[in-house]
Amino acid sequence: MERLQGIAVSPGVAIGEALILDNEGFRIPRRFVGRDAVGEELARLNRAIEAATAEVDRNRGRVAKELGDEVAAIFSAHLQMLNDRRLRQELEEMIRTRHYSPEYSVSRALGKYAKVFQSLDGEYMAERANDIFDIQKRLLRHLLGTARQELAHVTSPVLVLAHNLTPSETANLNPQFVMGLVTEVGGPGSHTAIVAEGLGIPAVVGVGNFLTDVSGGETVIIDGDQGLIFLHPDEETLARYRHEVEEQRSLAVKLETLRDLPAETTDGVRITMLGNIEFPAEVQQCDERGADGIGLYRTEFLYLGRDDDPPEEAHFAAYSEVAREMHGKPVVMRTLDLGADKMRTLPDPEDERNPFLGLRSIRLALKNRDMFRVQLRAILRASAHGQIKLMFPLISTMLELRQAKMVLADAMEDLEEAGIPFDRNMPVGMMVEVPSAVIMMDRFAEEADFFSIGTNDLIQYCLAVDRSNKDVASLYTAADPAVIRLIDMAVQTAKRFDRPISMCGQMCGNPLYTMLLLGIGLRTLSVTPSAIPEVKRVCRSVSIEQCERVADQVRGLETARDVKTFLKEELSKVFPEFPV
């Protein structure tokens, strides 16, 4: 059994078969072949080896001609490996006696060899491991033909283990069959983490290189609470986690009884519980968990995986569907919040060394106003079908907010001239995601109808931590006193200017922080649908006076570790089963 530590980004436990996506995206299931198909599968393996050999030989010839035989020697080594008699015998034996498919045989055998070289010291040995991976990928390309098979086409329950997942891949996950996610790279607040949490799928990211240690079809355990992965789990570990899965199911059944009850504290203060959604289909999940509305509708999914900009009618169809299905409950729609590096229809930024500090979100929208106006027109049209509020993301200056409102005014004028109905009094607010927005909030309050604190970005900009970089991911925490001070400042300023303020970041979906946030003064929380029952349970079990005492204590703490320890102790007083 191997126990790996990563970063927990979506809670829960999942046990199941591994589906491997390597860093080229090959899906390599443990597929068996029938006895009568062995001959054809051996022939397919031989054809793949011959094709890979010819490919490497061509590369060797071209490099030798341009750079000399010494540089081309690397390809000679690859040719020797490809045609190694012992390797060929091992692969053929797997197909003949174990009835493994050629893909699975190549994945297992070469993965095993690469792992041996990786375990040896020295740069030379590391390079040999890379050589083996290169050969493995060549053979798999010839055997499988295509890379990045769609995860949307998975038809049986699996745990997806990948080097990384693109935003479009996570957007197309089928939660009916993808039961858990693990990636070698990434950090909290990444797109993969947000989607996994939204779909209620246990997920761990930033595990480091481990895909060579596991094969498709093998049993894996994902612990999304502790950030643990178990490969080849022993019976004792399996039994322990199966028991935990049953306990989670029992708790979920108990929490279902809260669906139609208000999130009201013991001293009668009503907390508004909203849901965060990524796709229109998630409205049903919000309804099933008793949400008071949608506090964050991420609209990015319309842009992902497309080679053209989504037309206005595609926007309108999605937005109006959500508005109608909420039956008069509020829906806060956030405009496009992607970087230029994620948009296929836009040229790559010339000098985008750090996308989080570059052309993204409202900056991208204002630089591409025709595209922005299309989205705004669709949101305005949808406002005639429900209670819609519009929210601009990543506003950092007054000029940005005013420019965004000007484009909105143009879109309103277009619709009025065309006689198309919309809500002329639709509330217009902004995300509070950067320190400058908190510092200038007294001025923003004069022009924004409401605020929503986005902690995913606020944390990384406050602490100067790239939330997708696993090497500094441990520094990314909502418990840092500086982050809590910014939240406190934002809430008090909004209160002073009588502006509604909510929180929609991942922080408020974690029950650990519920008492603190209520104590600071937040009365509206927008969380992933799966988190609504548990956060509601905390709200209904505490008084505001209790929460204010907790907040006062936290204000005096100096480190994130102290804050977390204190909050765990306080929550365990309310729920003794909560681990301290």
Side-chain angles (χ1 to χ4, degrees):
M1 181 174 78
E2 287 188 62
R3 179 181 183 273
L4 306 173
Q5 181 69 58
I7 303 162
V9 293
S10 183
V13 171
I15 304 170
E17 283 192 8
L19 186 153
I20 311 298
L21 273 178
D22 71 7
N23 58 5
E24 285 202 0
F26 291 118
R27 279 182 52 192
I28 310 162
R30 182 168 57 175
R31 186 170 69 82
F32 294 97
V33 299
R35 194 178 298 275
D36 56 347
V38 166
E40 173 53 33
E41 295 299 294
L42 286 170
R44 203 158 64 85
L45 173 66
N46 289 332
R47 288 196 295 271
I49 291 175
E50 288 169 7
T53 299
E55 189 176 74
V56 173
D57 200 33
R58 284 195 299 273
N59 289 343
R60 181 182 63 173
R62 187 170 64 251
V63 171
K65 185 177 180 181
E66 294 179 11
L67 303 173
D69 290 336
E70 284 188 15
V71 178
I74 179 67
F75 293 105
S76 298
H78 284 200
L79 285 172
Q80 285 181 334
M81 290 185 205
L82 265 171
N83 292 281
D84 182 80
R85 184 170 52 83
R86 283 172 300 179
L87 174 61
R88 181 77 69 99
Q89 285 175 347
E90 184 174 351
L91 294 174
E92 290 179 354
E93 184 70 13
M94 284 178 156
I95 297 170
R96 278 200 181 94
T97 62
R98 301 189 198 179
H99 292 259
Y100 287 162
S101 68
E103 296 90 344
Y104 188 62
S105 301
V106 165
S107 175
R108 275 196 72 109
L110 290 172
K112 179 182 68 177
Y113 290 140
K115 188 179 176 185
V116 170
F117 280 107
Q118 282 180 326
S119 68
L120 301 175
D121 293 332
E123 189 177 332
Y124 176 82
M125 294 303 179
E127 285 302 318
R128 299 295 69 76
N130 288 335
D131 290 342
I132 292 171
F133 282 131
D134 187 75
I135 292 167
Q136 181 191 55
K137 287 169 187 171
R138 283 184 190 280
L139 287 173
L140 288 174
R141 271 198 297 269
H142 288 290
L143 286 165
L144 293 167
T146 58
R148 286 287 182 206
Q149 296 181 39
E150 292 293 334
L151 287 175
H153 298 157
V154 173
T155 56
S156 60
V158 292
L159 308 185
V160 173
L161 278 53
H163 175 69
N164 199 9
L165 291 172
T166 65
S168 57
E169 282 173 332
T170 53
N172 288 311
L173 287 175
N174 185 342
Q176 184 182 353
F177 298 118
V178 177
M179 315 306 290
L181 293 175
V182 184
T183 59
E184 292 186 322
V185 298
S190 65
H191 192 85
T192 301
I194 291 168
V195 172
E197 191 176 33
L199 296 176
I201 298 172
V204 178
V205 301
V207 179
N209 296 330
F210 76 97
L211 291 178
T212 54
D213 299 343
V214 63
S215 299
E218 292 181 352
T219 299
V220 172
I221 298 173
I222 299 175
D223 182 340
D225 299 311
Q226 305 298 322
L228 296 173
I229 309 299
F230 294 89
L231 310 180
H232 323 295
D234 56 32
E235 285 303 318
E236 182 185 345
T237 305
L238 270 172
R240 176 160 52 87
Y241 274 100
R242 281 173 180 150
H243 177 68
E244 194 163 323
V245 168
E246 286 304 315
E247 285 191 334
Q248 287 181 355
R249 285 178 184 152
S250 298
L251 177 60
V253 170
K254 289 178 186 175
L255 292 176
E256 279 179 15
T257 61
L258 300 178
R259 172 185 166 170
D260 298 321
L261 298 175
E264 190 174 285
T265 62
T266 57
D267 48 354
V269 176
R270 178 67 188 268
I271 309 302
T272 302
M273 289 297 309
L274 305 174
N276 297 340
I277 67 170
E278 188 110 3
F279 315 107
E282 290 178 87
V283 167
Q284 184 181 349
Q285 295 180 37
C286 292
D287 185 53
E288 289 171 353
R289 290 170 172 85
D292 297 316
I294 305 295
L296 173 63
Y297 178 14
R298 300 182 179 96
T299 57
E300 290 75 48
F301 79 98
L302 284 162
Y303 298 88
L304 296 171
R306 295 181 65 107
D307 293 318
D308 59 347
D309 287 333
E312 185 177 320
E313 290 307 314
H315 285 281
F316 173 68
Y319 305 157
S320 58
E321 177 188 346
V322 171
R324 282 192 298 268
E325 289 192 11
M326 288 308 294
H327 304 293
K329 291 180 180 179
V331 177
V332 180
M333 292 191 174
R334 184 182 69 185
T335 60
L336 174 67
D337 188 16
L338 280 177
D341 58 320
K342 301 291 192 301
M343 303 280 287
R344 289 186 190 176
T345 58
L346 299 177
D348 287 335
E350 292 180 9
D351 193 25
E352 195 73 290
R353 297 185 185 182
N354 188 336
F356 289 116
L357 298 178
L359 188 61
R360 60 169 294 210
S361 203
I362 196 66
R363 301 168 182 175
L364 180 69
L366 291 173
K367 197 174 177 67
N368 297 273
R369 296 196 179 195
D370 289 342
M371 178 185 74
F372 191 28
R373 191 177 289 109
V374 166
Q375 182 178 31
L376 293 176
R377 280 174 54 96
I379 293 174
L380 285 166
R381 288 171 59 194
S383 70
H385 299 272
Q387 188 186 340
I388 288 180
K389 301 178 181 181
L390 175 67
M391 183 163 66
F392 297 122
L394 206 74
I395 296 289
S396 56
T397 67
M398 285 295 294
L399 184 60
E400 285 174 341
L401 179 60
R402 287 171 179 161
Q403 287 178 333
K405 290 177 71 176
M406 282 174 57
V407 181
L408 178 64
D410 289 344
M412 286 181 168
E413 194 174 313
D414 289 346
L415 295 180
E416 280 185 337
E417 288 178 1
I420 298 172
F422 66 93
D423 179 5
R424 200 68 178 79
N425 299 311
M426 178 181 66
V428 178
M430 59 174 270
M431 297 280 288
V432 178
E433 301 175 276
V434 293
S436 65
V438 179
I439 294 165
M440 294 293 292
M441 210 162 150
D442 55 336
R443 298 302 175 88
F444 283 123
E446 296 171 4
E447 304 212 13
D449 295 324
F450 66 92
F451 298 102
S452 185
I453 302 171
T455 52
N456 299 355
D457 270 329
L458 186 62
I459 295 166
Q460 77 167 348
Y461 292 128
C462 171
L463 302 177
V465 175
D466 180 348
R467 58 188 170 133
S468 64
N469 184 337
K470 70 181 181 66
D471 293 324
V472 293
S474 61
L475 302 174
Y476 179 94
T477 173
D480 192 280
V483 173
I484 294 167
R485 280 195 186 186
L486 283 176
I487 294 168
D488 202 355
M489 286 170 60
V491 173
Q492 304 318 318
T493 305
K495 194 178 292 184
R496 195 164 73 248
F497 286 85
D498 196 26
R499 286 288 181 268
I501 187 166
S502 63
M503 179 180 285
C504 62
Q506 286 173 300
M507 179 184 186
C508 65
N510 186 340
L512 180 68
Y513 298 106
T514 304
M515 293 174 72
L516 169 64
L517 297 177
L518 299 186
I520 284 173
L522 279 164
R523 297 293 179 263
T524 302
L525 304 176
S526 189
V527 305
T528 57
S530 59
I532 290 173
E534 204 161 3
V535 174
K536 184 185 282 190
R537 180 171 74 138
V538 178
C539 293
R540 290 179 56 84
S541 304
V542 298
S543 69
I544 293 299
E545 186 182 351
Q546 251 181 296
C547 296
E548 287 175 345
R549 285 200 302 269
V550 167
D552 285 341
Q553 285 279 94
V554 168
R555 289 184 181 107
L557 301 177
E558 295 179 343
T559 69
R561 180 184 295 178
D562 290 344
V563 170
K564 274 190 175 178
T565 300
F566 173 70
L567 292 179
K568 285 179 181 178
E569 288 172 351
E570 290 301 305
L571 190 55
S572 68
K573 292 176 185 176
V574 182
F575 302 111
E577 72 273 18
F578 188 82
V580 179

